[in-house]
Amino acid sequence: NINPSGGDPPPATLPDESATKPEDWEDEEDGTWEAPTKPNPEYKGEWVAKTIENPAYKGAWVAPDIDNPDFVDDKLLYNYKDSKYVGFELWQ
């Protein structure tokens, strides 16, 4: 589905061109003056691609659990009798 505008969608608001900077506006005190905005009549909401029904859809895919016949649970796998050093990796 192609974006109807062919490029970037129009902005939701536009600067009000009839607005002028107030005479008593001080940039140092009040900051940079920005014109107020008004709604853009060409903006028709955020563009979303069309969706179609898929009759073969069976839901979100879930990876099946497959038993490994060669797996042996070794409770002493990480049991080291002659450990002299311990290392820590710290992240901040």
Side-chain angles (χ1 to χ4, degrees):
N1 197 0
I2 299 172
N3 189 336
S5 65
D8 292 334
T13 59
L14 297 172
D16 188 359
E17 296 164 2
S18 63
T20 57
K21 184 176 177 178
E23 292 181 19
D24 61 344
W25 190 273
E26 295 291 329
D27 284 339
E28 290 182 15
E29 268 185 44
D30 303 322
T32 305
W33 184 79
E34 294 180 14
T37 59
K38 60 182 180 178
N40 184 356
E42 294 179 13
Y43 183 72
K44 296 180 175 37
E46 189 173 329
W47 181 80
V48 179
K50 287 191 248 177
T51 59
I52 58 172
E53 286 292 321
N54 181 358
Y57 182 68
K58 298 175 185 172
W61 183 78
V62 178
D65 291 334
I66 302 172
D67 291 332
N68 182 354
D70 299 330
F71 177 76
V72 177
D73 190 17
D74 185 3
K75 300 213 185 274
L76 301 176
L77 181 64
Y78 299 106
N79 187 5
Y80 298 107
K81 294 183 182 186
D82 58 350
S83 293
K84 295 179 184 176
Y85 306 101
V86 176
F88 294 98
E89 184 174 350
L90 304 175
W91 292 49
Q92 291 186 354

